[in-house]
Coordinates of all heavy atoms in Angstrom, one line a residue:
M1 N -2.5 -20.2 -6.6 CA -1.3 -19.6 -7.2 C -1.3 -19.9 -8.7 O -1.8 -21.0 -9.1 CB 0.0 -20.3 -6.6 CG 1.2 -19.8 -7.3 SD 2.8 -20.3 -6.6 CE 2.6 -21.9 -5.9
A2 N -0.9 -18.9 -9.5 CA -0.9 -19.1 -10.9 C 0.3 -20.0 -11.4 O 1.3 -20.1 -10.7 CB -0.7 -17.7 -11.6
L3 N 0.1 -20.6 -12.5 CA 1.2 -21.4 -13.1 C 1.9 -20.5 -14.1 O 1.3 -19.7 -14.8 CB 0.6 -22.6 -13.9 CG -0.1 -23.6 -13.0 CD1 -0.7 -24.7 -13.9 CD2 0.9 -24.2 -12.0
F4 N 3.2 -20.6 -14.1 CA 4.0 -19.7 -15.0 C 4.8 -20.6 -16.0 O 5.2 -21.7 -15.7 CB 5.0 -19.0 -14.1 CG 4.4 -17.9 -13.3 CD1 4.1 -18.2 -11.9 CD2 4.1 -16.7 -13.8 CE1 3.5 -17.2 -11.1 CE2 3.5 -15.7 -13.0 CZ 3.2 -16.0 -11.7
N5 N 4.9 -20.0 -17.1 CA 5.8 -20.5 -18.2 C 7.0 -19.6 -18.3 O 6.9 -18.5 -18.7 CB 5.0 -20.6 -19.5 CG 5.7 -21.2 -20.6 OD1 6.8 -21.8 -20.4 ND2 5.2 -21.1 -21.8
F6 N 8.1 -20.1 -17.9 CA 9.3 -19.3 -17.8 C 10.1 -19.3 -19.1 O 11.0 -20.1 -19.2 CB 10.2 -19.8 -16.6 CG 9.5 -19.6 -15.3 CD1 8.8 -20.7 -14.7 CD2 9.5 -18.4 -14.6 CE1 8.2 -20.5 -13.5 CE2 8.9 -18.2 -13.4 CZ 8.2 -19.3 -12.8
N7 N 9.8 -18.4 -20.0 CA 10.5 -18.3 -21.2 C 11.2 -16.9 -21.4 O 12.1 -16.8 -22.1 CB 9.6 -18.5 -22.4 CG 9.1 -19.9 -22.5 OD1 9.8 -20.8 -22.3 ND2 7.8 -20.0 -22.9
R8 N 10.7 -15.9 -20.6 CA 11.2 -14.6 -20.8 C 11.5 -14.0 -19.4 O 11.0 -14.5 -18.4 CB 10.1 -13.7 -21.4 CG 9.6 -14.2 -22.8 CD 8.4 -13.4 -23.2 NE 7.3 -13.6 -22.3 CZ 6.5 -12.6 -21.8 NH1 6.7 -11.4 -22.2 NH2 5.6 -12.9 -20.9
P9 N 12.4 -13.0 -19.4 CA 12.7 -12.3 -18.1 C 11.4 -11.8 -17.4 O 11.3 -12.0 -16.2 CB 13.6 -11.1 -18.5 CG 14.2 -11.5 -19.7 CD 13.2 -12.4 -20.5
D10 N 10.4 -11.3 -18.2 CA 9.2 -10.9 -17.5 C 8.4 -12.0 -16.8 O 7.7 -11.8 -15.9 CB 8.3 -10.3 -18.6 CG 8.7 -8.8 -19.0 OD1 9.5 -8.2 -18.2 OD2 8.2 -8.4 -20.0
D11 N 8.6 -13.2 -17.3 CA 7.9 -14.4 -16.6 C 8.5 -14.5 -15.2 O 7.8 -14.8 -14.3 CB 8.1 -15.7 -17.4 CG 7.5 -15.6 -18.8 OD1 6.5 -14.9 -19.0 OD2 8.1 -16.2 -19.8
Y12 N 9.8 -14.4 -15.1 CA 10.5 -14.5 -13.8 C 10.1 -13.4 -12.9 O 9.8 -13.5 -11.7 CB 12.0 -14.6 -14.0 CG 12.5 -15.9 -14.5 CD1 12.6 -16.2 -15.9 CD2 12.8 -17.0 -13.6 CE1 13.0 -17.4 -16.4 CE2 13.2 -18.2 -14.1 CZ 13.3 -18.4 -15.5 OH 13.7 -19.6 -16.0
L13 N 10.0 -12.2 -13.5 CA 9.7 -11.0 -12.7 C 8.2 -11.1 -12.2 O 8.0 -10.7 -11.1 CB 9.9 -9.7 -13.6 CG 9.8 -8.4 -12.9 CD1 10.6 -8.3 -11.6 CD2 10.1 -7.3 -13.9
N14 N 7.3 -11.5 -13.1 CA 5.9 -11.6 -12.6 C 5.8 -12.7 -11.5 O 5.1 -12.4 -10.5 CB 5.0 -12.1 -13.8 CG 4.9 -11.0 -14.8 OD1 5.0 -9.8 -14.5 ND2 4.6 -11.3 -16.1
A15 N 6.5 -13.7 -11.6 CA 6.5 -14.7 -10.5 C 7.1 -14.2 -9.3 O 6.6 -14.4 -8.2 CB 7.3 -16.0 -11.0
A16 N 8.2 -13.4 -9.4 CA 8.8 -12.8 -8.3 C 7.8 -11.8 -7.5 O 7.7 -11.8 -6.3 CB 10.0 -12.0 -8.7
R17 N 7.1 -11.1 -8.3 CA 6.1 -10.2 -7.7 C 5.0 -11.0 -7.0 O 4.6 -10.6 -5.9 CB 5.5 -9.2 -8.8 CG 6.5 -8.2 -9.2 CD 6.0 -7.3 -10.3 NE 6.9 -6.3 -10.7 CZ 7.2 -6.0 -11.9 NH1 6.5 -6.5 -12.9 NH2 8.1 -5.0 -12.2
E18 N 4.6 -12.0 -7.6 CA 3.5 -12.9 -6.9 C 4.1 -13.5 -5.6 O 3.4 -13.5 -4.6 CB 3.1 -14.0 -7.9 CG 1.9 -14.8 -7.3 CD 1.3 -15.7 -8.2 OE1 1.0 -15.3 -9.4 OE2 1.1 -16.9 -7.8
M19 N 5.3 -13.9 -5.7 CA 5.9 -14.5 -4.4 C 6.0 -13.4 -3.3 O 5.8 -13.7 -2.2 CB 7.2 -15.1 -4.7 CG 7.2 -16.4 -5.6 SD 6.1 -17.7 -4.9 CE 4.7 -17.6 -5.9
A20 N 6.4 -12.2 -3.7 CA 6.5 -11.1 -2.8 C 5.2 -10.8 -2.2 O 5.0 -10.6 -1.0 CB 7.1 -9.9 -3.4
D21 N 4.1 -10.7 -3.0 CA 2.8 -10.4 -2.6 C 2.2 -11.5 -1.7 O 1.4 -11.2 -0.8 CB 1.9 -10.3 -3.8 CG 2.1 -9.0 -4.6 OD1 2.9 -8.1 -4.1 OD2 1.6 -8.9 -5.7
S22 N 2.7 -12.8 -1.8 CA 2.2 -13.8 -1.0 C 3.1 -14.1 0.2 O 2.9 -15.2 0.8 CB 2.0 -15.1 -1.8 OG 3.2 -15.6 -2.3
G23 N 4.0 -13.2 0.5 CA 4.8 -13.4 1.7 C 6.0 -14.3 1.6 O 6.4 -14.9 2.6
R24 N 6.5 -14.5 0.4 CA 7.7 -15.4 0.2 C 8.8 -14.5 -0.4 O 9.2 -14.7 -1.5 CB 7.3 -16.5 -0.8 CG 6.2 -17.4 -0.3 CD 5.8 -18.4 -1.4 NE 4.8 -19.3 -0.8 CZ 3.6 -19.3 -1.2 NH1 3.1 -18.4 -2.0 NH2 2.7 -20.2 -0.7
P25 N 9.4 -13.7 0.5 CA 10.4 -12.8 0.0 C 11.7 -13.5 -0.5 O 12.4 -13.0 -1.4 CB 10.7 -11.9 1.2 CG 10.3 -12.7 2.4 CD 9.2 -13.6 1.9
T26 N 12.1 -14.6 0.0 CA 13.3 -15.3 -0.4 C 13.1 -15.8 -1.8 O 14.0 -15.6 -2.7 CB 13.6 -16.4 0.6 OG1 13.8 -15.9 1.9 CG2 14.9 -17.1 0.2
L27 N 12.0 -16.4 -2.1 CA 11.8 -16.9 -3.4 C 11.6 -15.8 -4.4 O 12.1 -15.8 -5.5 CB 10.5 -17.8 -3.4 CG 10.2 -18.5 -4.7 CD1 11.4 -19.3 -5.3 CD2 9.0 -19.4 -4.5
A28 N 11.0 -14.7 -3.9 CA 10.8 -13.5 -4.8 C 12.2 -13.0 -5.2 O 12.4 -12.7 -6.4 CB 10.0 -12.5 -4.1
R29 N 13.1 -12.9 -4.3 CA 14.4 -12.4 -4.6 C 15.1 -13.3 -5.6 O 15.8 -12.8 -6.5 CB 15.2 -12.2 -3.3 CG 16.7 -11.7 -3.5 CD 16.8 -10.4 -4.2 NE 18.1 -10.2 -4.6 CZ 18.6 -9.0 -4.9 NH1 17.9 -7.9 -4.9 NH2 19.9 -8.9 -5.3
L30 N 15.1 -14.6 -5.4 CA 15.8 -15.5 -6.3 C 15.2 -15.4 -7.7 O 15.9 -15.4 -8.7 CB 15.7 -16.9 -5.8 CG 16.5 -17.2 -4.6 CD1 16.1 -18.6 -4.0 CD2 18.0 -17.1 -4.9
L31 N 13.9 -15.3 -7.8 CA 13.2 -15.2 -9.1 C 13.6 -13.8 -9.8 O 13.8 -13.7 -11.0 CB 11.7 -15.3 -9.0 CG 11.2 -16.7 -8.7 CD1 9.8 -16.7 -8.2 CD2 11.3 -17.6 -10.0
A32 N 13.7 -12.8 -9.0 CA 14.1 -11.5 -9.5 C 15.5 -11.5 -10.0 O 15.8 -10.9 -11.0 CB 13.9 -10.4 -8.4
E33 N 16.4 -12.1 -9.3 CA 17.8 -12.2 -9.7 C 17.9 -13.0 -11.1 O 18.6 -12.6 -11.9 CB 18.6 -12.9 -8.7 CG 18.9 -12.1 -7.5 CD 19.7 -12.8 -6.4 OE1 20.2 -13.9 -6.7 OE2 19.9 -12.2 -5.3
E34 N 17.1 -14.0 -11.2 CA 17.0 -14.7 -12.5 C 16.5 -13.9 -13.6 O 17.0 -13.9 -14.7 CB 16.2 -16.0 -12.3 CG 16.4 -17.0 -13.5 CD 17.8 -17.5 -13.7 OE1 18.5 -17.7 -12.7 OE2 18.2 -17.7 -14.8
A35 N 15.5 -13.1 -13.3 CA 14.9 -12.2 -14.3 C 16.0 -11.1 -14.7 O 16.2 -10.9 -15.9 CB 13.7 -11.4 -13.8
A36 N 16.7 -10.6 -13.7 CA 17.8 -9.6 -14.0 C 18.9 -10.3 -14.9 O 19.4 -9.6 -15.8 CB 18.3 -9.1 -12.7
D37 N 19.3 -11.5 -14.5 CA 20.3 -12.2 -15.3 C 19.9 -12.4 -16.7 O 20.8 -12.4 -17.6 CB 20.7 -13.5 -14.6 CG 21.4 -13.3 -13.4 OD1 21.9 -12.2 -13.1 OD2 21.6 -14.4 -12.6
R38 N 18.6 -12.6 -17.0 CA 18.2 -12.9 -18.3 C 17.8 -11.7 -19.1 O 17.4 -11.8 -20.3 CB 16.9 -13.9 -18.2 CG 17.3 -15.2 -17.7 CD 16.1 -16.1 -17.4 NE 16.5 -17.4 -16.9 CZ 16.5 -18.5 -17.7 NH1 16.3 -18.4 -19.0 NH2 16.9 -19.6 -17.2
T39 N 17.9 -10.5 -18.5 CA 17.6 -9.3 -19.2 C 18.8 -8.8 -19.9 O 19.9 -8.8 -19.4 CB 17.1 -8.2 -18.1 OG1 16.0 -8.7 -17.5 CG2 16.8 -6.9 -18.8
T40 N 18.7 -8.4 -21.2 CA 19.8 -8.0 -22.0 C 20.2 -6.5 -21.7 O 21.4 -6.1 -21.9 CB 19.5 -8.1 -23.5 OG1 18.4 -7.4 -23.8 CG2 19.3 -9.6 -23.8
D41 N 19.3 -5.7 -21.2 CA 19.6 -4.3 -20.9 C 20.0 -4.1 -19.5 O 19.3 -4.4 -18.6 CB 18.3 -3.5 -21.2 CG 18.5 -2.0 -21.0 OD1 19.5 -1.6 -20.4 OD2 17.6 -1.2 -21.4
P42 N 21.3 -3.7 -19.3 CA 21.8 -3.5 -17.9 C 20.9 -2.6 -17.1 O 20.8 -2.8 -15.9 CB 23.2 -2.9 -18.1 CG 23.6 -3.3 -19.5 CD 22.3 -3.4 -20.3
A43 N 20.4 -1.5 -17.7 CA 19.5 -0.6 -16.9 C 18.3 -1.3 -16.4 O 17.8 -1.1 -15.3 CB 19.1 0.6 -17.7
D44 N 17.7 -2.2 -17.2 CA 16.5 -3.0 -16.8 C 16.9 -3.9 -15.7 O 16.2 -4.1 -14.7 CB 15.9 -3.7 -18.0 CG 15.1 -2.9 -18.9 OD1 14.7 -1.8 -18.5 OD2 14.8 -3.3 -20.0
A45 N 18.1 -4.6 -15.8 CA 18.5 -5.5 -14.8 C 18.7 -4.8 -13.4 O 18.3 -5.3 -12.4 CB 19.8 -6.2 -15.2
D46 N 19.3 -3.6 -13.5 CA 19.4 -2.8 -12.3 C 18.1 -2.4 -11.7 O 17.9 -2.4 -10.4 CB 20.2 -1.5 -12.6 CG 21.7 -1.8 -12.8 OD1 22.2 -2.9 -12.5 OD2 22.4 -0.9 -13.4
R47 N 17.1 -2.1 -12.5 CA 15.8 -1.7 -12.0 C 15.1 -2.9 -11.4 O 14.5 -2.7 -10.3 CB 14.9 -1.2 -13.2 CG 13.5 -0.8 -12.8 CD 12.7 -0.5 -14.1 NE 12.7 -1.6 -15.1 CZ 12.0 -2.7 -15.0 NH1 11.3 -3.0 -13.9 NH2 12.1 -3.7 -15.9
I48 N 15.3 -4.1 -11.9 CA 14.7 -5.3 -11.3 C 15.3 -5.5 -10.0 O 14.6 -5.8 -9.0 CB 14.9 -6.5 -12.3 CG1 14.0 -6.3 -13.5 CG2 14.6 -7.8 -11.5 CD1 14.3 -7.3 -14.6
R49 N 16.6 -5.5 -9.9 CA 17.3 -5.7 -8.6 C 16.9 -4.7 -7.6 O 16.8 -5.0 -6.4 CB 18.8 -5.7 -8.8 CG 19.3 -7.0 -9.6 CD 20.8 -7.1 -9.6 NE 21.2 -8.2 -10.4 CZ 21.6 -8.2 -11.7 NH1 21.6 -7.0 -12.3 NH2 21.9 -9.3 -12.4
A50 N 16.7 -3.4 -8.0 CA 16.3 -2.4 -7.1 C 14.9 -2.6 -6.5 O 14.6 -2.2 -5.4 CB 16.4 -1.0 -7.7
E51 N 14.0 -3.3 -7.3 CA 12.7 -3.5 -6.9 C 12.7 -4.6 -5.8 O 11.8 -4.6 -4.9 CB 11.9 -4.0 -8.1 CG 10.4 -4.2 -7.7 CD 9.6 -4.6 -9.0 OE1 10.0 -4.4 -10.1 OE2 8.5 -5.1 -8.7
F52 N 13.7 -5.4 -5.7 CA 13.8 -6.5 -4.7 C 15.2 -6.3 -4.0 O 16.2 -7.0 -4.4 CB 13.7 -7.9 -5.4 CG 12.4 -8.1 -6.1 CD1 12.2 -7.7 -7.4 CD2 11.4 -8.7 -5.4 CE1 11.0 -7.9 -8.0 CE2 10.1 -8.9 -6.0 CZ 9.9 -8.5 -7.3
P53 N 15.3 -5.3 -3.1 CA 16.6 -4.8 -2.6 C 17.4 -5.7 -1.7 O 18.5 -5.4 -1.3 CB 16.3 -3.5 -2.0 CG 14.9 -3.7 -1.5 CD 14.2 -4.6 -2.6
D54 N 16.8 -6.8 -1.2 CA 17.6 -7.6 -0.2 C 18.9 -8.1 -0.9 O 19.0 -8.2 -2.1 CB 16.7 -8.9 0.2 CG 15.5 -8.4 1.0 OD1 15.6 -7.3 1.6 OD2 14.5 -9.2 1.1
N55 N 19.8 -8.5 0.0 CA 21.0 -9.1 -0.5 C 20.8 -10.4 -1.3 O 19.8 -11.1 -1.1 CB 22.0 -9.4 0.7 CG 22.4 -8.1 1.3 OD1 22.6 -7.1 0.7 ND2 22.6 -8.2 2.6
S56 N 21.7 -10.7 -2.2 CA 21.6 -11.9 -3.0 C 21.7 -13.1 -2.1 O 22.4 -13.2 -1.1 CB 22.8 -11.9 -4.0 OG 22.8 -13.2 -4.7
L57 N 20.9 -14.1 -2.5 CA 20.8 -15.3 -1.7 C 21.4 -16.5 -2.4 O 21.3 -17.6 -2.0 CB 19.3 -15.6 -1.4 CG 18.6 -14.5 -0.6 CD1 17.1 -14.8 -0.6 CD2 19.1 -14.5 0.8
R58 N 21.9 -16.2 -3.6 CA 22.5 -17.3 -4.4 C 23.8 -17.8 -3.8 O 24.6 -17.1 -3.3 CB 22.8 -16.8 -5.8 CG 21.5 -16.5 -6.6 CD 21.9 -16.1 -8.0 NE 20.7 -16.1 -8.8 CZ 20.7 -15.7 -10.0 NH1 21.8 -15.4 -10.6 NH2 19.6 -15.7 -10.7
Q59 N 24.0 -19.1 -4.1 CA 25.2 -19.7 -3.7 C 26.0 -20.0 -5.1 O 25.5 -20.9 -5.8 CB 25.0 -21.0 -3.0 CG 24.4 -20.8 -1.6 CD 24.2 -22.1 -0.9 OE1 24.5 -23.1 -1.3 NE2 23.6 -22.0 0.3
E60 N 27.0 -19.3 -5.3 CA 27.7 -19.4 -6.6 C 28.7 -20.6 -6.4 O 29.3 -20.7 -5.4 CB 28.5 -18.2 -6.9 CG 27.6 -17.0 -7.1 CD 26.6 -17.1 -8.3 OE1 27.0 -17.8 -9.3 OE2 25.5 -16.5 -8.2
S61 N 28.8 -21.4 -7.4 CA 29.8 -22.5 -7.3 C 31.0 -22.3 -8.1 O 31.1 -21.4 -8.9 CB 29.1 -23.8 -7.9 OG 28.6 -23.6 -9.1

């Protein structure tokens, strides 16, 4: 597995894709949600969430 430096939304998105490819859909979805949250363009955020369509797994406090 590659090591990631999480500074940009693309870093989270790349990690999400790697997790999805390696059979870790839950982690992939969480990373994709973080990427979407860190994206300043709402259209890009929607595109990211659409790429990982499962329901949100976050527990909001």
Side-chain angles (χ1 to χ4, degrees):
M1 174 172 34
L3 295 177
F4 290 96
N5 185 9
F6 295 96
N7 292 321
R8 303 170 298 133
D10 283 345
D11 298 327
Y12 287 90
L13 187 54
N14 291 336
R17 289 179 178 137
E18 183 172 315
M19 292 301 105
D21 290 346
S22 65
R24 296 178 177 103
T26 302
L27 185 52
R29 176 60 193 197
L30 290 170
L31 287 162
E33 287 179 6
E34 191 63 33
D37 287 349
R38 292 170 180 263
T39 300
T40 57
D41 183 347
D44 284 343
D46 289 343
R47 180 188 52 77
I48 291 168
R49 288 185 184 101
E51 187 176 339
F52 299 87
D54 293 338
N55 292 328
S56 177
L57 301 168
R58 288 184 172 178
Q59 295 180 1
E60 300 295 331
S61 54

